[in-house]
Amino acid sequence: MKPTEKIASTTRTYRRMHKWVAVPLLFFMFIIGLTGVLLGWKKQANLTPPTEKGVATNAEKWLSLDSVQLIAMRFSTDSLNGAEIDRIDIRPSKGIAKIIFTSDYTELQIDLTTGKISHIQKRWNDLIEQIHDGTIMDRWIGTEGDPFKIGYTTLTSMGLMLLSLSGFWLWWNPKRIRKLKRHTD
């Protein structure tokens, strides 16, 4: 078998492998790409709420974290059907606490000095992030330990690496064949 025939044969194998990986994973890779772009542009696309500025940045004048949590829980009971607090993000340079709830994608900003709610807005970037990494399916199904997320990210990541490698050889092998043919002629 000539060297060019051997390279052509392996190129056909890479092409078949490329096709059999790309076609089943096309939808997932498109979703990951689309949500990745949205996450990259989340501030410019207003998918994440801007951080307000509180009255004071001096921590000695701030309310206790317990007080901030009580204000957030009162808001949750009145407006969000009692959604639990996922996290409290303190922004010292702004004098603001951002409270993110587990099930509603709502962000509540509370002035750390006055306890006043200064901003309420949906955090669409959190939803997009959960779609991006597959967490949304685990939340929807109610599974523990994120098995869908782990399987989804592993399968699509391995597929993308395989497509990258086979794509490289699909690009490089024809160049090798042309070069070999030029030198043998």
Side-chain angles (χ1 to χ4, degrees):
M1 183 183 278
K2 292 181 188 177
T4 56
E5 290 173 356
K6 185 175 180 186
I7 294 171
S9 175
T10 59
T11 302
R12 283 190 289 278
T13 302
Y14 285 128
R15 190 173 294 119
R16 280 191 300 277
M17 183 176 53
H18 198 83
K19 177 179 69 172
W20 286 108
V21 172
V23 171
L25 295 180
L26 175 70
F27 175 73
F28 298 119
M29 289 188 193
F30 182 81
I31 294 298
I32 288 174
L34 176 65
T35 54
V37 167
L38 290 172
L39 289 171
W41 286 80
K42 65 186 173 188
K43 287 184 182 176
Q44 292 79 1
N46 294 323
L47 298 172
T48 184
T51 304
E52 300 291 315
K53 187 141 178 67
V55 172
T57 57
N58 183 352
E60 292 174 359
K61 297 180 181 179
W62 291 350
L63 299 169
S64 69
L65 197 52
D66 288 349
S67 299
V68 172
Q69 186 174 1
L70 284 172
I71 294 164
M73 290 309 295
R74 197 172 313 122
F75 171 83
S76 173
T77 302
D78 295 344
S79 304
L80 302 177
N81 296 322
E84 292 181 26
I85 294 174
D86 181 39
R87 62 189 179 273
I88 300 175
D89 180 10
I90 304 294
R91 300 294 175 98
S93 64
K94 301 271 187 167
I96 286 287
K98 290 184 167 195
I99 291 83
I100 295 94
F101 296 93
T102 56
S103 60
D104 191 74
Y105 304 109
T106 297
E107 176 182 282
L108 181 68
Q109 293 186 32
I110 298 175
D111 186 311
L112 288 167
T113 305
T114 66
K116 179 180 170 253
I117 295 173
S118 61
H119 195 77
I120 304 166
Q121 188 174 337
K122 294 286 187 188
R123 288 179 57 93
W124 297 115
N125 62 305
D126 286 350
L127 173 63
I128 293 167
E129 184 178 323
Q130 288 181 2
I131 293 169
H132 182 76
D133 71 6
T135 304
I136 192 134
M137 290 301 293
D138 286 317
R139 283 187 70 182
W140 185 57
I141 296 169
T143 55
E144 293 287 324
D146 298 329
F148 185 86
K149 172 186 173 180
I150 291 167
Y152 169 74
T153 56
T154 301
L155 181 66
T156 53
S157 297
M158 297 294 278
L160 186 56
M161 289 186 290
L162 191 61
L163 288 172
S164 297
L165 290 172
S166 62
F168 170 78
W169 288 110
L170 290 173
W171 169 79
W172 180 249
N173 280 346
K175 293 179 180 308
R176 290 175 54 204
I177 291 170
R178 282 191 295 274
K179 185 178 178 182
L180 283 171
K181 283 184 177 181
R182 271 194 308 261
H183 289 298
T184 58
D185 290 340

